[in-house]
């Protein structure tokens, strides 16, 4: 996508991040996201609209309530700016409107899940379901005949994103000679999962979801309480969004990151052997790597295989 869409997506991401931060705050306390209106957590004064402008209000107020001077946590500006940056990155990487819409829903849900899992070691079903509903709407629009199906799947910026959409299916198998472009550095490493028009997207999504869920259910049996059923559901959810090629990249990245961080926490004594380390954030980080780099890494790997 072009720079205008990227900037627009970044600004939208700040606003969505503000909503996600409220969700991260309130879901563990079983409070609805929309009511009551936001208040200072120290003096209880209701916040004015200008005090809720993402990131900027926190900087202007220097992280303090204007009435009571109580500290406003850094969680809100952090969640807002991370969401804004991820939205901009998704827009810059997406090659088709369908990839853009799916990518935005994907990162929004992952931000929410990471925040909640870090706070209370639970992965909220409502976030997974919202993401599934969003993806189902987009993929359904690709199946229902109409002018939108072609628009959703059409490459928007083919100049800067050669491998988008249908082109991603032209990847050579390991036994075929690769076209010269596949092995050259010009083949993009950043390549969101291909979204096929028609029922093919459903088949790929559901198949990868089943594989992701099954792998993590087996890991869960072996982990003796280290992994929860939420992790199994999240792995299946990642499969639905990433498809069969990017999913293995995501799960592998999550396992490596999780192992590294758990090792450091154990070695430095900040966590003991019996402590539970939430795995959702690692799956979310792996999911991001899979979404941006999964297909590109496969392409690079297959290019190497054919010399
Ligand atoms: Zn206050």
């Amino acid at each position: 996508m072009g720079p205008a869409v990227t900037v627009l997506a970044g600004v939208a991401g700040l606003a969505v991040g503000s909503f996600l931060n409220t969700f991260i705050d309130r879901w563990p306390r079983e409070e609805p996201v929309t009511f009551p209106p936001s208040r200072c957590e120290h003096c209880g004064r209701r916040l004015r609209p200008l005090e809720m402008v993402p990131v900027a209000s926190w900087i202007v107020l220097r992280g303090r309530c204007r009435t009571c001077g109580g500290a406003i946590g850094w969680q809100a500006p952090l969640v807002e700016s991370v969401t804004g940056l991820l939205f901009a990155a998704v827009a810059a990487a997406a090659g088709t409107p369908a990839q853009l819409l799916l990518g935005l829903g994907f990162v929004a849900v992952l931000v929410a899940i990471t925040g909640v899992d870090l706070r209370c070691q639970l992965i909220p079903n409502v976030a997974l379901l919202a993401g599934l509903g969003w993806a189902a709407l987009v993929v359904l629009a690709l199946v229902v005949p109409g002018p939108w199906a072609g628009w959703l799947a059409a490459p928007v910026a083919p100049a800067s994103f050669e491998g988008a959409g249908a082109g991603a299916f032209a990847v050579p198998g390991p036994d075929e000679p690769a076209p010269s472009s596949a092995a050259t550095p010009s083949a993009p490493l950043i390549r969101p999962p291909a979204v096929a028009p028609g029922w093919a997207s459903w088949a790929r999504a559901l198949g990868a979801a089943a594989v992701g869920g099954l792998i993590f259910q087996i890991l869960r049996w072996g982990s003796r309480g280290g992994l929860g059923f939420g992790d199994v559901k999240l792995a299946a959810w990642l499969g639905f969004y990433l498809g069969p090629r990017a999913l293995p990249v995501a799960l592998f990245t999550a396992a490596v990151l999780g192992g590294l961080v758990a090792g450091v926490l154990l070695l430095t004594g900040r966590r003991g052997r019996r402590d539970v380390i939430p795995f959702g954030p690692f799956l979310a980080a792996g999911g991001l790597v899979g979404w941006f780099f999964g297909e590109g890494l496969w392409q690079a790997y297959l290019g190497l295989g054919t010399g």
Side-chain angles (χ1 to χ4, degrees), residues 105-152:
F106 184 67
V107 297
V109 170
L110 290 184
V111 167
I113 283 175
T114 301
V116 171
D117 201 14
L118 285 174
R119 286 188 67 143
C120 64
Q121 282 81 54
L122 286 170
I123 291 176
N125 280 334
V126 63
L128 294 173
L129 288 173
L132 283 186
W134 177 252
L137 276 180
V138 176
V139 182
L140 200 65
L142 289 165
V143 177
V144 178
W148 52 82
W151 176 78
L152 279 170

Side-chain angles (χ1 to χ4, degrees), residues 94-289:
T96 67
Q99 281 180 332
L100 173 69
L101 292 173
L102 288 171
L104 296 182
F106 184 67
V107 297
V109 170
L110 290 184
V111 167
I113 283 175
T114 301
V116 171
D117 201 14
L118 285 174
R119 286 188 67 143
C120 64
Q121 282 81 54
L122 286 170
I123 291 176
N125 280 334
V126 63
L128 294 173
L129 288 173
L132 283 186
W134 177 252
L137 276 180
V138 176
V139 182
L140 200 65
L142 289 165
V143 177
V144 178
W148 52 82
W151 176 78
L152 279 170
V156 167
S160 64
F161 201 85
E162 291 171 314
F169 285 100
V171 175
D175 49 351
E176 308 169 30
S180 58
S181 67
T184 57
S186 69
L189 190 60
I190 297 178
R191 174 184 296 223
V195 185
W199 291 103
S201 278
W202 283 98
R204 287 160 56 94
L206 291 174
V211 171
L214 188 66
I215 291 174
F216 261 69
Q217 183 58 44
I218 293 168
L219 289 175
R220 182 180 166 223
W221 283 324
S223 77
R224 294 179 196 175
L227 291 172
F229 191 52
D231 299 310
V232 175
K233 284 184 282 187
L234 179 53
W237 187 90
L238 288 178
F240 188 83
Y241 261 91
L242 292 174
R245 289 154 63 90
L247 176 69
V249 173
L251 298 185
F252 179 75
T253 308
V256 171
L257 280 178
L260 278 176
V261 172
V264 168
L265 289 174
L266 281 173
L267 285 174
T268 55
R270 295 182 62 183
R271 290 283 191 284
R273 289 207 163 270
R274 295 183 158 273
D275 289 327
V276 174
I277 299 168
F279 198 67
F282 300 112
L283 276 171
L288 290 179
V289 172

Side-chain angles (χ1 to χ4, degrees), residues 16 18 20 23 27 31 43 52 54 84 106 165 168 176 259 277 286 301:
V16 172
S18 179
L20 296 178
F23 176 81
W27 188 84
E31 290 173 5
C43 66
M52 293 190 278
F106 184 67
E176 308 169 30
I277 299 168
Y301 174 74

Side-chain angles (χ1 to χ4, degrees), residues 40 42-44 65 67-70:
C40 168
H42 303 286
C43 66
C65 170
T67 311
C68 69

